[in-house]
Amino acid sequence: MNKTVNINLAGIFFHIDEDAYLKLQRYLEAIKRSFTDSQGRSEIISDIEARIAELFNERVQNEKQVIRIKEVDDVISIMGQPEDYLVDDEIFEDEPTSTYHRSSNSKPSKKFYRDTDNSYVGGVSAGLGHYFGIDALWVRLIWIILIFGAGTGVLLYILLWILVPEAKTTSEKLTMTGEPVNISNIEKKIKDGFDSVSQTVSDTVKNVDLPKQGQKIKSSSKTFFDTIGDIIMFFFKVFAKFIGIILIIVGAATLISLLTFCLSLGAIDVIHFPGLDIFEAANAANTPVWLISLITLFAIGVPFFFVFYLGLKILINNLKSIGNVAKFTLLGLWLMALIGSVVVGVRQASEHAYDATVSKKEQLNIKANDTLTLAMVGNTLYSKQFGRHGNSLKAVYNENDEKLIYSRDVRLIVRSTKDSVASIHIERTAEGRNYKEAKLRAQEVNYNYDLINKRLELDGFLTTAFENKFRDQEIEVTLYLPEGTILYAEENTYSYHRNSSYYNDILDNGMENHYLEITNNNVRCLDCPMEEDFQIKVDVEDDKKGLKIDENGVQMKTEGSSLKIDDNGIKAKSDNIKVNIDDDGIEITSDDN
């Protein structure tokens, strides 16, 4: 049984075996002694300890795992022995002398960091240059092409700027360039920094002419290219701030609107809001309104919250993170909301899976040569005036204060018939999760008509119990009139009928307020001026016979003969004879002549 020790290495807590601890302690003390007279000694030691802590973390599976001698030996093999760098030779007398060599075939892995030491804006380009092994200048040229060409580079650069960490420590800078993170490279990196600073200061002191340069140092110490870089960086920062402001406005406006809508929706059972009855009627799946409001809030609100947060991160450099707990909580709520929306959507769609129609046909006391007046009427309790456009849908109350669904989804079709008596055919249609339920809802659709003294008044609306919800309830009224009947359709029928070949409707828009004689699958206007008379409709059978009648006249072609009647006169032709009748008279020619 071995004794364990708790240590704090670079701010990270580890459990370590006592033997491993003693070896690690000797190793660190040897490193410290090897850098006794080195510049940046404390920084070198801190970076070495941070790298050792990072390597330990990679080898620890959980917080309770103990660091053993094996893990210490692995770390030492990576970092290298102190004696490899001409340090104290008396250290590690119990260890065989070895020199740390990295295999020539193994290439250290790189990590993507932002290189702010060589940056103009955020160090993204320099970091990408290190990561892909190319000069940062080429990366910057690519950004310029993306920004001014495709227009997508700005957002991508901002996202990388925000999400990619900056290489701050010596270990991170070495990893960024792909160099091994060991004692030698850490020492070299730090000393190079000190030497660079010292050389710069030395050169400046040697070359400066104090009398001549004093005023210049006070006014400006930047070169022309430094100034250009600062100007470019300034405009990039201004543009980034502008993008941040837009993201904040979009995110905040969406969240406020969404929150207001969801609170209003959630309070539908407590406070009556105008217009929300339609939402309740359309809620065929009977999903609780409060649940729909929560699903909507999280499904849409969470992404726009992060849009708002991203805008804040762009504007405020030192904005505190909301923390991983909050991020993962919001992500979980968003995923649950997406799943909930799919479930609600499937349930809602299943309520419209089947449709059923209930038909009713009755005879009307209208015969050939009778004059029938056709009108659409409404109930003033529900609606004082019918509009010409659209099918209104709303909740109403009847004389007994019962809540109903009111709709103007009514279609009128007029057809001719060979029967001697007119008839009316009413089809009620509704949807449901199965055929039986759909048929039951169709039967519960209320629709009426009234025939008084040759005046047929059709309801311009339908109603059904509010409990039936809105399941696309429709009414289709087909009026069959005997040939020879005179029809007068009032103007209020305009929005209820459409002439269509699919429905074979002979009453077209614009025929209102005219007396129309019903013919074979057609109508003839009795009181229209000749120039306003309706275009004659030709059956398909006539087309097959070669007959064509339109605004240009009449044309008929059969085998061996033809006939054309238009504004120029009449032209007829057969196998042997041609007849031409026009303003000049009659001309008849024969092939026999």
Side-chain angles (χ1 to χ4, degrees), residues 172-190:
E172 290 173 345
K173 293 177 181 179
L174 289 171
T175 305
M176 176 179 64
T177 58
E179 299 180 57
V181 185
N182 51 41
I183 297 174
S184 176
N185 285 333
I186 291 175
E187 177 191 11
K188 181 178 181 296
K189 190 75 173 176
I190 294 175

Side-chain angles (χ1 to χ4, degrees), residues 39 59 71 96 103 116 118 187 193 203 206 273 290 373 415 422 506 509 515 560 575:
Q39 275 186 312
R59 286 158 176 75
E71 284 76 25
S103 173
T116 54
N118 301 293
E187 177 191 11
D203 292 343
K206 289 179 181 179
F273 291 94
W290 62 266
T373 300
R415 295 175 181 169
I506 61 175
N509 290 126
Y515 287 94
D575 292 338

Side-chain angles (χ1 to χ4, degrees), residues 3 8 25 71 76 89 178 193 257-258 305 324 342 348 361 369 433 443 445 476 489 509 517 552:
K3 182 179 178 180
N8 186 341
Q25 187 179 39
E71 284 76 25
I76 292 173
D89 292 333
S257 303
L258 187 64
F305 169 78
N324 290 332
V342 171
Q348 183 76 10
K361 188 172 184 179
N369 300 321
R433 71 175 63 186
Q443 291 173 347
V445 174
E476 186 176 290
N509 290 126
E517 181 182 0
N552 296 322

